[in-house]
Amino acid sequence: DPAGQGADDEGEVVATATPTRKRTRRKPAWVQYADGSRVDRFAWWSNEYCVQSIDQFNGRPLTMEPFQLEFMGESLAVDVDGYPFWRIVILVLPRKNGKTTLSAAYALYHVTENTGRPRVQFAASSEDQASELFDTAVAFTRESPYLAGLFHVRDYVGEIARVDGRGVLERMTAEWRR
């Protein structure tokens, strides 16, 4: 009964209790071994500065799916000194599950948020694959006034460089002709 009430044998209304299941959020896996993660900052940054331009997502901010947040939580885990816990992370997913979009957003985030002169290389086994990743990062850069002011896009050489010289993203391919 929606009101949480029922009737007894004589027709009188009596209150009934419906058992409720307490919802608990599962703790992220990285809390077992790391001192923190930069996933919240990355999720906020992506939503704030990455505007999508493909199909039904055109014009919408990049909002992470739960599985992407879980993966990036692990990927961006840090030790007690704030250094990355992992040197290499690998994501294997079927086609059309957001790998390119997530990778392009992270590449821009990394070059934007890290100190020194970060260098990100969009490496792929074919020119088409490398170009798809590079073009996604270019689209994010051109759609965001913040990123457009921070980066200079050089399509002709496959490079997105910070205007202050403090970081670069490069398109590379492993084709034998190159």
Side-chain angles (χ1 to χ4, degrees):
D1 172 77
Q5 298 179 343
D8 66 6
D9 292 339
E10 284 84 40
E12 287 186 39
V13 176
V14 292
T16 59
T18 349
T20 56
R21 207 169 86 194
K22 196 175 189 180
R23 286 191 163 187
T24 55
R25 283 181 51 185
R26 187 178 65 158
K27 285 187 179 181
W30 58 262
V31 300
Q32 298 174 22
Y33 60 82
D35 291 293
S37 176
R38 294 190 176 118
V39 67
D40 291 337
R41 174 75 180 166
F42 173 62
W44 171 85
W45 189 94
S46 297
N47 189 268
E48 187 73 17
Y49 300 122
C50 294
V51 179
Q52 300 181 81
S53 59
I54 305 281
D55 298 333
Q56 73 267 27
F57 302 107
N58 185 36
R60 298 173 78 186
L62 179 60
T63 303
M64 300 288 143
E65 295 286 336
F67 78 92
Q68 292 171 318
L69 288 171
E70 185 176 346
F71 174 76
M72 292 308 294
E74 296 255 357
S75 300
L76 297 172
V78 293
D79 66 15
V80 70
D81 297 320
Y83 291 106
F85 195 86
W86 303 108
R87 290 179 49 107
I88 297 172
V89 295
I90 298 172
L91 177 62
V92 179
L93 290 172
R95 294 173 46 110
K96 299 295 180 188
N97 275 284
K99 296 182 299 289
T100 300
T101 303
L102 183 65
S103 298
Y106 177 70
L108 289 165
Y109 168 80
H110 181 76
V111 172
T112 303
E113 296 283 308
N114 285 305
T115 58
R117 290 189 163 158
R119 183 176 177 192
V120 174
Q121 296 174 326
F122 294 133
S125 60
S126 74
E127 183 67 33
D128 288 345
Q129 289 174 330
S131 290
E132 186 176 342
L133 185 53
F134 179 78
D135 292 346
T136 302
V138 167
F140 282 151
T141 302
R142 290 187 172 145
E143 291 290 324
S144 166
Y146 170 72
L147 295 176
L150 190 62
F151 290 103
H152 180 72
V153 177
R154 296 183 182 113
D155 286 333
Y156 54 95
V157 292
E159 183 178 271
I160 304 170
R162 283 186 48 164
V163 295
D164 64 2
R166 305 291 299 168
V168 66
L169 297 97
E170 301 169 305
R171 178 182 59 214
M172 300 180 70
T173 182
E175 287 184 349
W176 65 272
R177 289 180 223 95
R178 295 188 164 220

